[in-house]
Each structure stands twice: as C-alpha cells, then as structure tokens.
Amino acid sequence: MPETEQPTLRALLRRRDLALALVSEESALAPGALERPLRWVHSSDLADPTPFLSEDLALLTTGTQFDGMDDIGTYVDRLSHRGVLGLGFGTEVHRDGIPDELIAACAEHRMPLFEVPYRTPFIAVARAHSEAIAAQAYARRSWALDTQRALALAALRPRGLDATLAELGRRLGAWVGMYDAAGSLVVSHPRDGIDTATRAEVASHATDVLTRGLEAGQSLTIGTATFMLFTIGRGGHLRGVIAVAVDALDPEARAVVTSVIAMAGLALEQSEQLARSRRRLHTQLLESLLADDPALARRVLGSIPAAPVVVAVSADAAAGPVTDWWERRRIDHGTAAFVAESADGVVMVVSAADDELLDEVATRFGIRISVSAPDSYDSFSRAHAQALSTLRQQGDGGVLRYADTVGSSILSALATDEARLIAESRLAPLRAHDGLERALRVWLEHDARAEPAAAALGIHRHTLRTRIAFAGSLLDIDLGSFPARAELWTLLQTARD
C-alpha cells in the first residue's frame, strides 16, 4: 500500500499554516484518538448540533452557545456519543480563551480539544481537510493504476499466475496464498509469510469454502492475524481460493484484488482445458494397461509408478480435484501416480509402497476407495478386477482393501445388488411370518439339527420341525436335502437384514 498522509486530526494539527494547537493532554486521550480517519470538518454554535452531525468528524465552534448553559459536560457527552472525533474552539471571536468547564468536560470524556486561533477561519480548516481527502484519493487511484500495470506485466512472465500473485503481495505489503480445488497451497508469497499451523488452518477453511461452494469473500481471524478469502471461478465450478492477510481492503485495493481473481480464473480455466485433454489421454492409456501391456503408457508418459502396484477405484470421486492432489504430491514429494477416468469411476494406480496415501485421499475428499492387492503390470487386469470386486462390497466411506475381504466368505464377494434383490424376493414369504426367518437361520447354524437349535430358540423340537416344514412349503423346496439347505443359507447370507 502507498504511504500517504491520512486525513486525520493529527494531520490537521501538523499543518503550520493553520496554527492549530492541541489543548488536551495527549497522554490522557484514548489510544489512537488523533490517528482515526477523519471524515469531515463541520462548524456549529448550536446548543445541541448532534441531529445534524455524522460520525467521525471534527466540530468547530466559537462557544456562543455556552452563554447561560448550565452544564457544558452534557454538551460534550452528546458529541462523544454521536461519534465526534475532536472539538475545535475558535478563540478571540466570542471569548478570549477556552472555558475551563469545556477543558474539564473534554478531559473527562477523553475528547480531543484544540484551539483555532483568530487568524484562522473555520473555512480554512475545512478546506485543508478536504484537500487532504482529495490528495489521498488521488494517491490511491495512482497506486491502483500503477499496480494494475505491474500485475499485467507480471502475468506475461513465465509462470505468470505465480508472478502475478507475488506482485500482488508486494503491492499490498501482505502475505498472499492461493489454494487449488483440492485445498492445497500452490502459491505463497512470501513463502514463509505465515507459520505452518496458521497455514494449515487457512487451508482447512479454504477447503470448507470450496466444499460448500461459497462464492462470496470470507473473513477469517486466527490469533491476531486476519485473512480475507476470495473464491476463483463460479458457483459449482470453483477453481480455488486466494487468501490475503489483511483486515480490510479499501475500494482501490479491492478492485486490484478483483482483477487478480479474474486473471487467476482465466489462467486456471486454460489449465483446466489442458487437464481435461490430459485426463482423456489417461483414459485411453488405461485401456492399454487393462490389456496387461504397460509399454504404451511408459512411452507416452515417460514413467509410471514402480511395480508392484495397487489399483484403486472410487465411484464417487471427482477426477479433477483428485488428479490435482496427486499432481501436487508429485511436485512436492516426488510421488508417482497414474489417475484416469473410466466407466467404473476414478482409477488410481500407485506403487504398493505408497498404498497408505489412499487413506489420506479418502479422508480429504470424503470418498470411498477400493484397493487391489499388490501386483505387477503383467497382471494389471486382475488387480483392476479385484478393486472392482471390492467396490461392490457393502461399506461406508474410507478405504476397503481386497486383502481384507477375500478371507471372509465367497458369499460376500457374490453379494451384488442384483443377488440381494433376488434373495430378498425369495425370502419375502418367510418374512411375512414373525420369527420364521430367524428359526431357519438358527437351525442351519446348528447344522440342521433340531434339538440344539430348538434349545437355542427356546421352543420344543417338534414346534421347530413344524416351522421348517412350513417354510419349505412357502419356498417350494425340500429342506431335507443338502442342495436346498445350501440354497436357503445363501439366500439368508445374501439378503439384507
């Protein structure tokens, strides 16, 4: 920000041509009382001018209203509550000096009181202040114009977006950071402008803004630091967040930041077009990997994750943010990954040594990921099939690995949505009778032996045999044969409770 003389009460007191003199003891005033921005200078000799005053102005008076006034303290109290920042008393006009009662009242309310000598017209004080406001406005406009030129030149440099944000930080004299659609910090100027903990908290808030799709500017206070967050892109297609470590922005600075956001949006849109082309290429390369032939992928990409690899599939992931996250991981840590879109979802291929990073991806994006067992590229199709088989298993979000599912039951692997639908339809006649399904399940769990099963159910064995026979007639199967019992057990295990 440019260093210009702010239109404050102290600035007026510094003007030698006005010869104003501070009467109040500065140490007795409120901290910063003379540095607060002064909106205007007004003059009035009314006993109560507050209905005609606005906040943050200085009031000039000759004191004629004090003749016969019983309590000057009430007058000053009204001015203080109205937001008047200072009171100027014109001496040698109506009174020889400043009334002691006024000095005491201003001291009590910590109201700055200054003397306006006889030779200084009130209009001169008002004009001096208006000139200061005009000078500041001109300086701010000049700063904004010069800054816009500098930003335009920065955009033409290599890595233009990074250079533009760095220039913005220098011009504002503040830390500036940009977070991508995955919530990762991709630009920071100065690089060590904020500590690691603060950077992480800003990143968390930026991720929340992106997740909720908020377009409006957000304000965030962390300790003693305040940040303003601005989204890049339009609702539903946010590209990232720009964070600026400032309390507030005046109209000129805000216009500069708005132009940078527009430039960043254009740059990221161009990058997104390239990314879409890259994703289409990766989708085609995935076909060659599924043919258990990695030669084409190596030739096109130069390198692919080192074998053995794990193949992960997520049906609810957004390809763009996930790809950005892996790309950032490659830049920062050298982690190799292959990401492609397919009809089954987003496919991620990483070295088995980096398998644990999939848990971080699932947590960050709140998605469900199924992961194959480690395998070579010569058996890529098998690993992909394992990931798809695991994806069909029931479960909440997070990572589900093939190795954790194969040891449980072959029936769980066969429990597709279609199989569950069939099982529930077949069991519908049983479920119309309370307790019948449970009786069959307990009976089969006791190896189709009536006595221990009846004891577990708390009924007589003959009652259980009657229920089994009744169930067989409902299902139109002979439960005295092993194939029928095996089919019933499969139905019970496959259907939802």
Side-chain angles (χ1 to χ4, degrees), residues 172-344:
L172 293 178
W175 177 85
V176 174
M178 189 181 78
Y179 297 82
D180 62 15
S184 299
L185 182 64
V186 293
V187 178
S188 176
H189 178 82
R191 182 173 295 276
D192 300 321
I194 57 176
D195 59 76
T196 303
T198 302
R199 186 183 298 123
E201 191 163 347
V202 176
S204 175
H205 195 79
T207 302
D208 182 59
V209 169
L210 291 167
T211 301
R212 294 163 58 193
L214 301 176
E215 290 187 75
Q218 301 286 308
S219 181
L220 172 67
T221 300
I222 303 174
T224 58
T226 301
F227 298 84
M228 296 188 72
L229 275 59
F230 304 90
T231 53
I232 306 170
R234 62 188 186 277
H237 299 279
L238 297 180
R239 304 297 187 195
V241 169
I242 291 178
V244 184
V246 293
D247 296 334
L249 296 171
D250 64 14
E252 289 76 15
R254 185 173 286 274
V256 167
V257 172
T258 300
S259 68
V260 170
I261 293 171
M263 295 165 66
L266 178 60
L268 292 179
E269 182 62 33
Q270 293 173 338
S271 298
E272 177 61 21
Q273 292 176 0
L274 292 174
R276 284 195 292 267
S277 299
R278 189 180 299 113
R279 288 198 294 269
R280 285 194 293 270
L281 173 62
H282 280 216
T283 298
Q284 294 169 352
L285 293 177
L286 177 62
E287 295 298 324
S288 68
L289 291 176
L290 288 172
D292 298 330
D293 182 7
L296 179 61
R298 284 198 181 96
R299 190 160 57 248
V300 173
L301 300 177
S303 64
I304 52 178
V309 296
V310 292
V311 179
V313 180
S314 175
D316 52 358
V322 171
T323 302
D324 291 343
W325 190 89
W326 283 110
E327 178 63 17
R328 180 54 49 185
R329 184 79 193 184
R330 182 190 66 79
I331 294 173
D332 294 342
H333 304 282
T335 305
F338 175 85
V339 183
E341 294 178 271
S342 72
D344 301 302

Side-chain angles (χ1 to χ4, degrees), residues 24 57 61 286 394 400:
S24 304
L57 56 74
T61 183
L286 177 62
Q394 286 183 312
L400 185 62

Side-chain angles (χ1 to χ4, degrees), residues 95-130:
R95 291 175 176 266
D96 291 338
I98 302 176
D100 292 338
E101 297 91 335
L102 182 60
I103 296 175
C106 287
E108 180 182 352
H109 291 83
R110 307 178 83 180
M111 168 79 70
L113 175 65
F114 58 95
E115 178 187 359
V116 183
Y118 179 79
R119 69 177 180 84
T120 303
F122 283 178
I123 190 65
V125 180
R127 183 171 59 246
H129 181 66
S130 66

Side-chain angles (χ1 to χ4, degrees), residues 397-417:
V399 175
L400 185 62
R401 291 176 169 81
Y402 179 76
D404 297 331
T405 64
V406 293
S408 57
S409 170
I410 187 63
L411 294 180
S412 62
L414 300 175
T416 62
D417 290 338

Side-chain angles (χ1 to χ4, degrees), residues 150-172:
L151 293 173
L153 291 174
L156 298 176
R157 299 175 195 161
R159 297 180 62 86
L161 181 55
D162 292 9
T164 300
L165 293 172
E167 186 66 28
L168 176 65
R170 282 192 291 270
R171 294 286 173 158
L172 293 178

Side-chain angles (χ1 to χ4, degrees), residues 429-443:
L430 298 181
R431 291 179 170 180
H433 300 272
D434 292 340
L436 188 55
E437 181 179 353
R438 179 172 179 270
L440 290 173
R441 184 181 293 276
V442 173
W443 176 59

